[in-house]
Amino acid sequence: MRDEIQKFTKNAADNYTETNDRVLDAVVDTNRKAVDFAVKTADQVAERIEQIDDLPEFKFADKVPTPAETGARYLDFVERAVEMNREFTQRMVERLLEVDAVAPVVEKPVAKKAPAKPAAKKPVAKKAPVSKTAAAS
């Protein structure tokens, strides 16, 4: 029985970890594609804006990150979030395995006291039948 529980726990933990990894990889890939698209689009817009001569100059424009820098920062953030989630999942799996390694506490059944028997009833004394002869007198 204990081996079956260990196998179940290990399989459940492995399945959870594998599924979590696949989902996170899909999220990272999707985000990466979205960011690449946004960066390319922003770069194209920036190139076209540079071609226009009549744009006013903005103060602090040099302090605003470029679209490529913004995309890179976003990817760094997503990668850190995925790594934190992966570490959390690994710790959870380790805890599950630790809990499974500890022998389960089996409580001894507590002996129940037998219910008290009702007090025995005293037999009611029967009256002696009255004889007919005595009643006739």
Side-chain angles (χ1 to χ4, degrees):
M1 176 78 172
R2 178 142 172 82
D3 291 335
E4 292 174 8
I5 293 172
Q6 286 177 337
K7 286 179 186 177
F8 175 77
T9 305
K10 184 173 181 351
N11 287 340
D14 289 345
N15 288 339
Y16 175 76
T17 302
E18 290 172 10
T19 302
N20 196 19
D21 287 343
R22 278 188 256 142
V23 168
L24 290 175
D25 289 342
V27 168
V28 169
D29 289 342
T30 303
N31 284 339
R32 203 168 260 140
K33 289 177 184 177
V35 169
D36 287 343
F37 175 76
V39 168
K40 287 178 185 176
T41 303
D43 286 342
Q44 289 174 354
V45 170
E47 287 175 13
R48 299 234 169 121
I49 289 176
E50 288 176 0
Q51 295 172 355
I52 300 174
D53 294 331
D54 296 336
L55 285 178
E57 234 177 88
F58 295 106
K59 296 179 183 178
F60 309 113
D62 57 333
K63 295 182 181 179
V64 175
T66 65
E69 291 172 340
T70 304
R73 287 181 186 177
Y74 176 73
L75 285 178
D76 290 340
F77 165 76
V78 169
E79 288 172 353
R80 284 194 310 260
V82 168
E83 183 60 30
M84 287 173 44
N85 196 356
R86 180 172 283 131
E87 289 174 7
F88 172 76
T89 302
Q90 288 172 345
R91 285 196 312 251
M92 291 300 295
V93 169
E94 289 171 5
R95 297 290 175 161
L96 286 172
L97 294 175
E98 287 175 11
V99 168
D100 189 41
V102 176
V105 178
V106 178
E107 295 182 16
K108 294 180 181 178
V110 179
K112 294 182 179 178
K113 294 182 180 180
K117 293 182 181 179
K121 293 183 180 179
K122 294 183 181 179
V124 178
K126 292 184 179 179
K127 296 182 181 177
V130 181
S131 64
K132 292 183 184 180
T133 55
S137 335

